[in-house]
Structures are given as structure tokens and as C-alpha cells.
Amino acid sequence: AQSVTQPDIHITVSEGASLELRCNYSYGATPYLFWYVQSPGQGLQLLLKYFSGDTLVQGIKGFEAEFKRSQSSFNLRKPSVHWSDAAEYFCAVHNFNKFYFGSGTKLNVKP
Amino acid sequence: DAGITQSPRYKITETGRQVTLMCHQTWSHSYMFWYRQDLGHGLRLIYYSAAADITDKGEVPDGYVVSRSKTENFPLTLESATRSQTSVYFCASSEDRAYSGANVLTFGAGSRLTVL
């Protein structure tokens, strides 16, 4: 069965610092991977996606993610965090037209 | 307006009552989904639909009923609401790109349901 693990429930970083959110998946074949962001009281917005090809993908708002098959990981990164990045971030795997989500990582940004 | 619309956005009901959450999308996407979001669980799939009149169970279908008589609508019904169904419910849709796998989920704004 497919599963998505986000090991960090909460992360706090200072504004301007770099960020890495971890995501590990369990899936046999080449997965389709996504990161979504949810601001308080809002729905989920797609940040970026990986289908194939270059393992480093760029998304909106300055985010990027790297697919590492050997580690079954798809970590999200941002070189310099802004206060507006405070939100909850979800990693997801797509398989047979169903999407499986991690439990989310809540990001706090200190001034 | 184009997009995916959920109603009501907020609902308070009592145990044992029937509640229907509505979802409407304007893209003619083939696939529609219902998720619930609970603290510590992320998003869990309740039901999904591949097309009109085709629905299937997700991870947590018990206590819920869906229908899809038209492509654009995918209502979720709690036939007899329980306190454990207090949650935020998200509807989502995606195109049918089964062979390429290049589906992207687009979400509604959510419906917050409280069962007293």
C-alpha cells in the first residue's frame, strides 16, 4: 500500500533562513509526487509537482523540491523563508487516480 | 465563476441528523474527490468518482454516501451524523490523464462541519 510520511509535525524557522521539509513515500513504481500548501482557513494550493525527468523541480513562491529515488524522498526547500510562508505543507503521492497525503508539516516563521 | 465551489462553508448540526455537503466544479473534470482533514491525520480520502454515475470508496467511507448524477456535482451526505464526523471536508477535482498519470488535484475552500 502506498504511504506518505512527513516526519516533522511542526517546524519553526527565522525569517530569511533556509527551509527543508521532509517527505518520504512508500511506493513500488516511479511515483508522481506533489507538494501542496494550506494557509489558515484556506484550501490546498499546488506548490509543485514531479512526474518525470529532472529530479529537481521548481515551484511557485520560490520553492523547489528534489526527488531522490534511492532515499524514497521528495523534500521541499526554500533558500530564504518569508513570514508569508507560514502555513501547513502537505506532500502527496498519486497512484491510479488517487492521491495519498502525508499528515502535514506546520511551518512557523519567527521575525 | 470558474473553479470548484463547496457549500456550506460552515455547518453545525446535531448527532443523528442528515447533512449534505455540496461540491460543484466548472471545468468538466472527470475525477472528483472528497477528503476529510483532521489534526494529526492530514487528508484522508472518503470517496471518489471517476465520472458521472461512477463512484468508489476511499480510506474512510463508513457513515458517508455520495452520488454523481452530473459531471459537475459531487455531493457528500452524512446520513446520520456522529461527533466523530466533526471535521473539515475538502472537495477536489482532476482531469482524467490516467495513462500519463499527470493529474493535478484542485481543491475547494473546504466545509467546516461540527456535530454536537
Side-chain angles (χ1 to χ4, degrees), chain A residues 19-33:
Chain A
L19 171 70
E20 182 168 27
L21 302 182
R22 296 183 290 165
C23 173
N24 293 94
Y25 63 90
S26 169
Y27 182 56
T30 300
Y32 301 108
L33 296 160

Side-chain angles (χ1 to χ4, degrees), chain B residues 11-20 78-86 113-116:
Chain B
K11 176 74 176 178
I12 299 175
T13 191
E14 294 177 338
T15 301
R17 293 193 179 255
Q18 183 179 80
V19 176
T20 295
L78 291 66
E79 292 190 307
S80 179
T82 65
R83 289 192 181 131
S84 65
Q85 292 177 309
T86 292
L113 176 67
T114 301
V115 182
L116 301 176

Side-chain angles (χ1 to χ4, degrees), chain B residues 1-53:
Chain B
D1 290 338
I4 185 164
T5 307
Q6 292 185 234
S7 62
R9 293 291 314 279
Y10 302 92
K11 176 74 176 178
I12 299 175
T13 191
E14 294 177 338
T15 301
R17 293 193 179 255
Q18 183 179 80
V19 176
T20 295
L21 305 180
M22 304 300 294
C23 179
H24 175 79
Q25 53 105 352
T26 59
W27 297 299
S28 299
H29 283 172
S30 299
Y31 282 84
M32 296 188 75
F33 305 81
W34 274 107
Y35 288 87
R36 60 178 290 173
Q37 184 179 28
D38 305 289
L39 201 63
H41 291 280
L43 281 86
R44 292 181 290 176
L45 181 64
I46 304 171
Y47 270 96
Y48 68 102
S49 168
D53 297 322

Side-chain angles (χ1 to χ4, degrees), chain B residues 92-111:
Chain B
S93 69
S94 72
E95 294 181 82
D96 180 5
R97 297 187 184 181
Y99 294 104
S100 71
N103 289 4
V104 173
L105 268 183
T106 304
F107 284 85
S111 296

Side-chain angles (χ1 to χ4, degrees), chain A residues 73-109:
Chain A
S73 70
F74 188 57
N75 293 350
L76 181 71
R77 301 194 294 246
K78 187 169 185 178
S80 178
V81 168
H82 188 262
W83 64 265
S84 61
D85 294 325
E88 192 158 16
Y89 293 80
F90 292 92
C91 182
V93 168
H94 170 257
N95 176 43
F96 293 109
N97 290 312
K98 287 191 281 188
F99 292 78
Y100 300 89
F101 286 83
S103 55
T105 298
K106 186 163 286 189
L107 173 66
N108 295 317
V109 180

Side-chain angles (χ1 to χ4, degrees), chain A residues 29-72:
Chain A
T30 300
Y32 301 108
L33 296 160
F34 305 80
W35 275 99
Y36 283 84
V37 60
Q38 184 182 30
S39 297
Q42 304 296 315
L44 280 76
Q45 179 186 19
L46 180 68
L47 273 180
L48 48 78
K49 58 186 183 289
Y50 171 77
F51 293 151
S52 64
D54 193 346
T55 56
L56 184 64
V57 293
Q58 303 297 320
I60 62 171
K61 305 184 182 186
F63 285 91
E64 65 178 26
E66 186 171 14
F67 169 58
K68 293 185 177 180
R69 184 189 303 276
S70 61
Q71 298 177 19
S72 297

